[in-house]
Amino acid sequence: MSGADPLLFSAFAEHWLLTAFIAFARLGSATLLLPGFGEQAIPPRVKIAFGLVLTLALMPILPIPEPPAALPLFVLLIGLEVMIGIFIGLGARLLLAALHILGAQIGFAAGLSNAFMPNQSNAESGSAIAALLMAGAVALLFATNLHHVILSGLLRSYVILPPGRIIPGDMADQVARLGAGAFYIAATMAAPFFLLSLLVNLGLGVANRVMPAMQVFFVAAPGLIVLGLGVLALTIPALLDLQIEAIADWYRTFVR
């Protein structure tokens, strides 16, 4: 009896580790992309550590299947879980990209674009306005407790997408819809700035025709920046509210 105890403990530990690895495959991969948790400024070690803590906290209530005995089946299950986790995190990341597009449009309209401005949520550079909008969206995400909805959606994803089962056609369709939705949201929110840019540039064109000797660009640039910032100050609450609501709707689809 005493000789069987170490073997029993070893088998239990092995089963628990394999089950935890299956759970971490989805939760950990999603954590790398989740808004607020997977930002570019957060070190990778912190993201992985949060994924491990989240996995350990949710494991008792997760419907994790028995780990396959065959190694190829186990590797296939891990790969499918990673794909599902990336899909869940990528959905919100695509919607959040609308602010990156919007910031670039506002920067061009207000003359505030800078190719050397780092972006807080993406590896590529962006405008100062995009960085401001991204930081505001992440702050609002936690201020409105939207991260609770995100974690609930991640937990409920096991009901809609059981472990080891994916629907490639529907997942690809959802990614395409989210990408199109991001451009639609960006175009909708940037409409006032498009109108501002059109009117200002038309006015500059008329002024240049009337007074060809005047340096219209240098005279109008400060006014254009002030107008752009003024419109941004008036619209930024609505912009962030619309963006946060779009992300919340994406994760509510898993909760419903």
Side-chain angles (χ1 to χ4, degrees):
M1 183 69 180
S2 60
D5 291 339
L7 296 178
L8 182 62
F9 177 79
S10 176
F12 173 78
E14 180 182 358
H15 180 273
W16 186 88
L17 287 174
L18 293 177
T19 304
F21 193 61
I22 295 173
F24 179 75
R26 178 183 298 201
L27 300 178
S29 57
T31 302
L32 297 176
L33 295 171
L34 288 177
F37 302 102
E39 303 303 320
Q40 183 71 20
I42 300 177
R45 292 182 181 178
V46 176
K47 298 177 185 178
I48 295 174
F50 176 76
L52 289 173
V53 172
L54 186 63
T55 300
L56 295 176
L58 297 181
M59 264 190 65
I61 58 175
L62 292 180
I64 304 298
E66 288 291 324
L71 180 60
L73 294 179
F74 180 76
V75 173
L76 177 61
L77 177 60
I78 293 298
L80 293 177
E81 287 298 287
V82 169
M83 288 181 60
I84 294 174
I86 292 175
F87 168 73
I88 295 172
L90 184 63
R93 186 59 58 182
L94 285 174
L95 291 174
L96 198 62
L99 291 180
H100 179 64
I101 301 171
L102 174 64
Q105 295 297 329
I106 296 175
F108 286 130
L112 295 171
S113 297
N114 187 352
F116 300 101
M117 181 67 193
N119 196 305
Q120 301 300 320
S121 296
N122 299 286
E124 70 273 9
S125 62
S127 66
I129 302 299
L132 174 65
L133 292 175
M134 289 288 188
V138 172
L140 189 60
L141 184 148
F142 289 103
T144 58
N145 290 327
L146 181 59
H147 58 291
H148 294 167
V149 178
I150 293 177
L151 296 179
S152 298
L154 189 59
L155 176 61
R156 290 286 295 173
S157 68
Y158 283 89
V159 177
I160 299 177
L161 296 171
R165 301 179 185 177
I166 63 172
I167 311 174
D170 289 346
M171 292 171 67
D173 182 67
Q174 284 291 331
V175 171
R177 289 176 181 272
L178 290 170
F183 280 101
Y184 175 78
I185 293 172
T188 301
M189 294 189 295
F193 301 94
F194 290 150
L195 180 61
L196 170 67
S197 179
L198 177 62
L199 294 177
V200 170
N201 282 284
L202 284 175
L204 292 178
V206 172
N208 190 45
R209 294 290 294 179
V210 174
M211 297 175 289
M214 187 181 72
Q215 298 293 331
V216 177
F217 176 78
F218 293 103
V219 173
L224 180 60
I225 293 175
V226 171
L227 286 175
L229 292 178
V231 175
L232 178 63
L234 293 174
T235 59
I236 195 169
L239 300 182
L240 294 179
D241 182 68
L242 178 61
Q243 182 64 55
I244 291 297
E245 189 62 29
I247 296 176
D249 287 342
W250 162 242
Y251 282 103
R252 287 191 189 113
T253 58
F254 294 102
V255 178
R256 296 191 183 108

